[in-house]
Short mmCIF file of all heavy atoms in Angstrom, two decimals:
data_model
loop_
_atom_site.label_atom_id
_atom_site.label_comp_id
_atom_site.label_asym_id
_atom_site.label_seq_id
_atom_site.Cartn_x
_atom_site.Cartn_y
_atom_site.Cartn_z
N ASN A 1 25.46 11.03 -154.68
CA ASN A 1 25.52 11.46 -153.28
C ASN A 1 26.16 10.35 -152.47
O ASN A 1 25.99 9.16 -152.77
CB ASN A 1 24.13 11.77 -152.74
CG ASN A 1 23.62 13.11 -153.23
OD1 ASN A 1 24.11 14.16 -152.82
ND2 ASN A 1 22.64 13.08 -154.12
N TYR A 2 26.87 10.76 -151.43
CA TYR A 2 27.64 9.81 -150.63
C TYR A 2 27.37 9.99 -149.14
O TYR A 2 27.11 11.10 -148.67
CB TYR A 2 29.14 10.01 -150.87
CG TYR A 2 29.59 9.76 -152.28
CD1 TYR A 2 29.59 10.78 -153.21
CD2 TYR A 2 30.02 8.50 -152.67
CE1 TYR A 2 29.99 10.56 -154.52
CE2 TYR A 2 30.44 8.26 -153.97
CZ TYR A 2 30.42 9.30 -154.89
OH TYR A 2 30.83 9.07 -156.19
N ALA A 3 27.48 8.88 -148.41
CA ALA A 3 27.53 8.96 -146.96
C ALA A 3 28.82 9.68 -146.58
O ALA A 3 29.82 9.63 -147.32
CB ALA A 3 27.51 7.57 -146.35
N ASP A 4 28.81 10.35 -145.44
CA ASP A 4 30.00 11.08 -145.02
C ASP A 4 31.23 10.17 -144.95
O ASP A 4 32.34 10.59 -145.28
CB ASP A 4 29.75 11.73 -143.66
CG ASP A 4 28.81 12.93 -143.74
OD1 ASP A 4 28.61 13.44 -144.86
OD2 ASP A 4 28.28 13.34 -142.70
N SER A 5 31.01 8.94 -144.54
CA SER A 5 32.13 8.01 -144.39
C SER A 5 32.75 7.62 -145.72
O SER A 5 33.88 7.14 -145.77
CB SER A 5 31.68 6.75 -143.66
OG SER A 5 30.65 6.09 -144.40
N ALA A 6 32.02 7.82 -146.80
CA ALA A 6 32.49 7.43 -148.14
C ALA A 6 33.06 8.60 -148.93
O ALA A 6 33.80 8.38 -149.90
CB ALA A 6 31.35 6.79 -148.93
N LYS A 7 32.75 9.79 -148.55
CA LYS A 7 33.17 10.97 -149.31
C LYS A 7 34.69 11.04 -149.38
O LYS A 7 35.39 10.89 -148.38
CB LYS A 7 32.61 12.24 -148.68
CG LYS A 7 31.12 12.41 -148.86
CD LYS A 7 30.61 13.67 -148.16
CE LYS A 7 29.11 13.82 -148.34
NZ LYS A 7 28.59 15.01 -147.60
N GLY A 8 35.18 11.27 -150.59
CA GLY A 8 36.61 11.41 -150.80
C GLY A 8 37.35 10.10 -150.98
O GLY A 8 38.52 10.11 -151.37
N ARG A 9 36.70 8.99 -150.68
CA ARG A 9 37.36 7.69 -150.81
C ARG A 9 36.66 6.78 -151.83
O ARG A 9 37.31 5.99 -152.50
CB ARG A 9 37.41 6.98 -149.46
CG ARG A 9 38.16 7.73 -148.39
CD ARG A 9 38.33 6.87 -147.12
NE ARG A 9 37.04 6.49 -146.55
CZ ARG A 9 36.70 5.24 -146.28
NH1 ARG A 9 37.53 4.24 -146.54
NH2 ARG A 9 35.52 4.97 -145.74
N PHE A 10 35.34 6.87 -151.89
CA PHE A 10 34.56 6.00 -152.78
C PHE A 10 34.01 6.81 -153.94
O PHE A 10 33.69 7.99 -153.80
CB PHE A 10 33.39 5.38 -152.02
CG PHE A 10 33.77 4.43 -150.92
CD1 PHE A 10 35.11 4.17 -150.59
CD2 PHE A 10 32.78 3.80 -150.18
CE1 PHE A 10 35.45 3.31 -149.58
CE2 PHE A 10 33.10 2.92 -149.15
CZ PHE A 10 34.44 2.68 -148.85
N THR A 11 33.86 6.14 -155.09
CA THR A 11 33.26 6.76 -156.26
C THR A 11 32.24 5.81 -156.86
O THR A 11 32.56 4.66 -157.18
CB THR A 11 34.31 7.10 -157.32
OG1 THR A 11 35.30 7.98 -156.75
CG2 THR A 11 33.66 7.80 -158.51
N ILE A 12 31.01 6.30 -157.00
CA ILE A 12 29.97 5.51 -157.64
C ILE A 12 29.84 5.95 -159.08
O ILE A 12 29.97 7.14 -159.40
CB ILE A 12 28.62 5.65 -156.89
CG1 ILE A 12 27.59 4.65 -157.42
CG2 ILE A 12 28.10 7.08 -156.94
CD1 ILE A 12 26.32 4.57 -156.57
N SER A 13 29.61 5.00 -159.97
CA SER A 13 29.42 5.31 -161.38
C SER A 13 28.46 4.28 -161.97
O SER A 13 28.17 3.26 -161.34
CB SER A 13 30.74 5.32 -162.13
OG SER A 13 31.36 4.04 -162.05
N ARG A 14 27.97 4.56 -163.16
CA ARG A 14 27.03 3.64 -163.80
C ARG A 14 27.24 3.65 -165.30
O ARG A 14 27.65 4.66 -165.87
CB ARG A 14 25.59 3.98 -163.44
CG ARG A 14 25.12 5.34 -163.90
CD ARG A 14 23.75 5.70 -163.31
NE ARG A 14 22.67 4.95 -163.94
CZ ARG A 14 21.41 4.97 -163.50
NH1 ARG A 14 21.10 5.67 -162.41
NH2 ARG A 14 20.47 4.29 -164.13
N ASP A 15 26.91 2.52 -165.90
CA ASP A 15 26.92 2.38 -167.34
C ASP A 15 25.49 2.03 -167.73
O ASP A 15 25.05 0.89 -167.56
CB ASP A 15 27.90 1.27 -167.76
CG ASP A 15 28.03 1.15 -169.26
OD1 ASP A 15 27.06 1.48 -169.99
OD2 ASP A 15 29.09 0.68 -169.72
N ASN A 16 24.77 3.01 -168.22
CA ASN A 16 23.36 2.80 -168.51
C ASN A 16 23.15 1.79 -169.64
O ASN A 16 22.16 1.06 -169.66
CB ASN A 16 22.68 4.12 -168.86
CG ASN A 16 22.59 5.05 -167.67
OD1 ASN A 16 22.48 4.61 -166.52
ND2 ASN A 16 22.63 6.35 -167.92
N ALA A 17 24.07 1.73 -170.57
CA ALA A 17 23.95 0.77 -171.67
C ALA A 17 24.05 -0.66 -171.17
O ALA A 17 23.47 -1.58 -171.78
CB ALA A 17 25.01 1.05 -172.72
N LYS A 18 24.77 -0.86 -170.08
CA LYS A 18 24.96 -2.20 -169.52
C LYS A 18 24.10 -2.43 -168.28
O LYS A 18 24.19 -3.51 -167.68
CB LYS A 18 26.43 -2.42 -169.17
CG LYS A 18 27.37 -2.39 -170.37
CD LYS A 18 28.81 -2.64 -169.94
CE LYS A 18 29.74 -2.65 -171.13
NZ LYS A 18 31.16 -2.88 -170.72
N ASN A 19 23.31 -1.42 -167.90
CA ASN A 19 22.51 -1.54 -166.67
C ASN A 19 23.37 -1.97 -165.48
O ASN A 19 22.98 -2.85 -164.70
CB ASN A 19 21.34 -2.50 -166.86
CG ASN A 19 20.32 -1.99 -167.85
OD1 ASN A 19 19.98 -0.81 -167.85
ND2 ASN A 19 19.84 -2.86 -168.72
N THR A 20 24.51 -1.36 -165.37
CA THR A 20 25.49 -1.74 -164.35
C THR A 20 25.90 -0.54 -163.53
O THR A 20 26.08 0.56 -164.07
CB THR A 20 26.73 -2.38 -165.01
OG1 THR A 20 26.32 -3.55 -165.73
CG2 THR A 20 27.76 -2.77 -163.96
N VAL A 21 26.04 -0.78 -162.23
CA VAL A 21 26.53 0.26 -161.33
C VAL A 21 27.81 -0.24 -160.66
O VAL A 21 27.95 -1.44 -160.41
CB VAL A 21 25.47 0.64 -160.27
CG1 VAL A 21 25.09 -0.55 -159.40
CG2 VAL A 21 25.91 1.83 -159.42
N TYR A 22 28.73 0.69 -160.44
CA TYR A 22 30.03 0.35 -159.88
C TYR A 22 30.27 1.15 -158.60
O TYR A 22 29.72 2.24 -158.42
CB TYR A 22 31.15 0.67 -160.87
CG TYR A 22 30.98 0.05 -162.23
CD1 TYR A 22 30.38 0.76 -163.27
CD2 TYR A 22 31.41 -1.25 -162.48
CE1 TYR A 22 30.21 0.18 -164.52
CE2 TYR A 22 31.26 -1.83 -163.73
CZ TYR A 22 30.66 -1.10 -164.74
OH TYR A 22 30.50 -1.68 -165.99
N LEU A 23 31.11 0.62 -157.75
CA LEU A 23 31.58 1.35 -156.58
C LEU A 23 33.08 1.14 -156.46
O LEU A 23 33.52 0.03 -156.15
CB LEU A 23 30.87 0.89 -155.30
CG LEU A 23 31.19 1.71 -154.05
CD1 LEU A 23 30.62 3.13 -154.18
CD2 LEU A 23 30.65 1.05 -152.79
N GLN A 24 33.82 2.19 -156.76
CA GLN A 24 35.27 2.14 -156.59
C GLN A 24 35.59 2.58 -155.17
O GLN A 24 35.23 3.70 -154.77
CB GLN A 24 35.96 3.07 -157.59
CG GLN A 24 37.46 3.16 -157.45
CD GLN A 24 38.16 1.86 -157.79
OE1 GLN A 24 37.81 1.19 -158.76
NE2 GLN A 24 39.14 1.47 -156.98
N MET A 25 36.22 1.72 -154.42
CA MET A 25 36.53 2.00 -153.01
C MET A 25 38.03 2.06 -152.83
O MET A 25 38.74 1.07 -153.07
CB MET A 25 35.93 0.91 -152.12
CG MET A 25 34.43 0.74 -152.30
SD MET A 25 33.70 -0.40 -151.10
CE MET A 25 34.43 -1.94 -151.62
N ASN A 26 38.52 3.21 -152.44
CA ASN A 26 39.95 3.43 -152.21
C ASN A 26 40.20 3.74 -150.74
O ASN A 26 39.28 4.07 -150.00
CB ASN A 26 40.46 4.59 -153.07
CG ASN A 26 40.30 4.32 -154.56
OD1 ASN A 26 40.40 3.18 -155.01
ND2 ASN A 26 40.07 5.39 -155.32
N SER A 27 41.46 3.63 -150.35
CA SER A 27 41.85 3.95 -148.97
C SER A 27 40.94 3.24 -147.97
O SER A 27 40.44 3.84 -147.02
CB SER A 27 41.81 5.46 -148.72
OG SER A 27 42.65 6.14 -149.64
N LEU A 28 40.74 1.97 -148.19
CA LEU A 28 39.82 1.21 -147.36
C LEU A 28 40.31 1.11 -145.92
O LEU A 28 41.52 1.03 -145.66
CB LEU A 28 39.60 -0.18 -147.94
CG LEU A 28 38.64 -0.20 -149.15
CD1 LEU A 28 38.82 -1.47 -149.96
CD2 LEU A 28 37.20 -0.07 -148.67
N LYS A 29 39.36 1.11 -145.01
CA LYS A 29 39.63 1.05 -143.58
C LYS A 29 38.96 -0.20 -142.99
O LYS A 29 37.96 -0.68 -143.55
CB LYS A 29 39.07 2.29 -142.89
CG LYS A 29 39.55 3.61 -143.46
CD LYS A 29 38.84 4.78 -142.78
CE LYS A 29 39.27 6.11 -143.36
NZ LYS A 29 38.56 7.26 -142.72
N PRO A 30 39.46 -0.69 -141.88
CA PRO A 30 38.80 -1.85 -141.25
C PRO A 30 37.31 -1.62 -140.98
O PRO A 30 36.51 -2.55 -141.09
CB PRO A 30 39.58 -2.03 -139.95
CG PRO A 30 40.95 -1.52 -140.27
CD PRO A 30 40.71 -0.34 -141.20
N GLU A 31 36.94 -0.39 -140.69
CA GLU A 31 35.53 -0.11 -140.42
C GLU A 31 34.66 -0.15 -141.68
O GLU A 31 33.43 -0.05 -141.58
CB GLU A 31 35.35 1.25 -139.73
CG GLU A 31 36.06 2.40 -140.39
CD GLU A 31 37.43 2.68 -139.77
OE1 GLU A 31 38.18 1.72 -139.49
OE2 GLU A 31 37.74 3.88 -139.58
N ASP A 32 35.28 -0.30 -142.85
CA ASP A 32 34.51 -0.50 -144.08
C ASP A 32 34.08 -1.95 -144.25
O ASP A 32 33.31 -2.27 -145.16
CB ASP A 32 35.33 -0.09 -145.30
CG ASP A 32 35.64 1.40 -145.34
OD1 ASP A 32 34.74 2.20 -145.02
OD2 ASP A 32 36.79 1.76 -145.68
N THR A 33 34.57 -2.82 -143.38
CA THR A 33 34.18 -4.23 -143.43
C THR A 33 32.67 -4.37 -143.29
O THR A 33 32.08 -3.87 -142.33
CB THR A 33 34.88 -5.03 -142.32
OG1 THR A 33 36.28 -5.03 -142.57
CG2 THR A 33 34.37 -6.46 -142.28
N ALA A 34 32.05 -5.03 -144.28
CA ALA A 34 30.59 -5.13 -144.30
C ALA A 34 30.17 -5.98 -145.49
O ALA A 34 30.97 -6.26 -146.38
CB ALA A 34 29.95 -3.74 -144.43
N VAL A 35 28.92 -6.35 -145.49
CA VAL A 35 28.30 -6.89 -146.70
C VAL A 35 27.76 -5.70 -147.48
O VAL A 35 27.04 -4.86 -146.93
CB VAL A 35 27.17 -7.88 -146.39
CG1 VAL A 35 26.52 -8.37 -147.68
CG2 VAL A 35 27.70 -9.06 -145.57
N TYR A 36 28.12 -5.63 -148.74
CA TYR A 36 27.70 -4.52 -149.60
C TYR A 36 26.59 -5.00 -150.54
O TYR A 36 26.74 -6.03 -151.21
CB TYR A 36 28.89 -3.99 -150.40
CG TYR A 36 29.81 -3.13 -149.55
CD1 TYR A 36 30.63 -3.72 -148.59
CD2 TYR A 36 29.83 -1.75 -149.68
CE1 TYR A 36 31.45 -2.95 -147.78
CE2 TYR A 36 30.65 -0.97 -148.87
CZ TYR A 36 31.45 -1.58 -147.93
OH TYR A 36 32.26 -0.80 -147.12
N TYR A 37 25.51 -4.24 -150.56
CA TYR A 37 24.35 -4.58 -151.38
C TYR A 37 24.12 -3.48 -152.42
O TYR A 37 24.14 -2.30 -152.09
CB TYR A 37 23.09 -4.66 -150.52
CG TYR A 37 23.11 -5.73 -149.46
CD1 TYR A 37 23.59 -5.46 -148.18
CD2 TYR A 37 22.63 -7.01 -149.72
CE1 TYR A 37 23.60 -6.43 -147.20
CE2 TYR A 37 22.64 -7.99 -148.75
CZ TYR A 37 23.12 -7.68 -147.48
OH TYR A 37 23.12 -8.66 -146.52
N CYS A 38 23.89 -3.89 -153.64
CA CYS A 38 23.47 -2.89 -154.62
C CYS A 38 21.95 -2.85 -154.66
O CYS A 38 21.27 -3.81 -154.27
CB CYS A 38 24.05 -3.16 -156.00
SG CYS A 38 23.33 -4.54 -156.88
N THR A 39 21.43 -1.74 -155.11
CA THR A 39 19.99 -1.57 -155.19
C THR A 39 19.66 -0.71 -156.41
O THR A 39 20.46 0.15 -156.80
CB THR A 39 19.45 -0.91 -153.91
OG1 THR A 39 18.02 -0.87 -153.94
CG2 THR A 39 19.98 0.51 -153.73
N VAL A 40 18.53 -0.98 -157.01
CA VAL A 40 18.06 -0.16 -158.13
C VAL A 40 16.59 0.16 -157.92
O VAL A 40 15.85 -0.59 -157.29
CB VAL A 40 18.26 -0.85 -159.50
CG1 VAL A 40 19.71 -1.17 -159.76
CG2 VAL A 40 17.40 -2.10 -159.62
N PHE A 41 16.20 1.29 -158.46
CA PHE A 41 14.82 1.74 -158.41
C PHE A 41 14.31 1.81 -159.85
O PHE A 41 14.89 2.50 -160.70
CB PHE A 41 14.73 3.13 -157.77
CG PHE A 41 15.18 3.16 -156.35
CD1 PHE A 41 16.53 3.24 -156.03
CD2 PHE A 41 14.27 3.12 -155.31
CE1 PHE A 41 16.97 3.28 -154.71
CE2 PHE A 41 14.69 3.16 -153.98
CZ PHE A 41 16.04 3.23 -153.69
#
């Protein structure tokens, strides 16, 4: 699931064998400037 601002531009994926999550960010905009934090449950 994505925030509206991310839909169509960002793709989240995960590799369960590596316990790793990815965020592919395309068509970046100045308003995407931020500190990005990953989180796991």
Side-chain angles (χ1 to χ4, degrees):
N1 283 289
Y2 297 89
D4 287 344
S5 60
K7 288 178 181 177
R9 300 188 300 127
F10 295 1
T11 302
I12 189 170
S13 61
R14 63 189 286 172
D15 184 332
N16 291 330
K18 296 181 179 179
N19 293 319
T20 300
V21 61
Y22 306 95
L23 186 67
Q24 177 67 42
M25 304 187 292
N26 298 327
S27 302
L28 283 161
K29 305 175 182 179
E31 50 265 43
D32 295 318
T33 295
V35 178
Y36 284 72
Y37 298 91
C38 73
T39 186
V40 301
F41 297 81

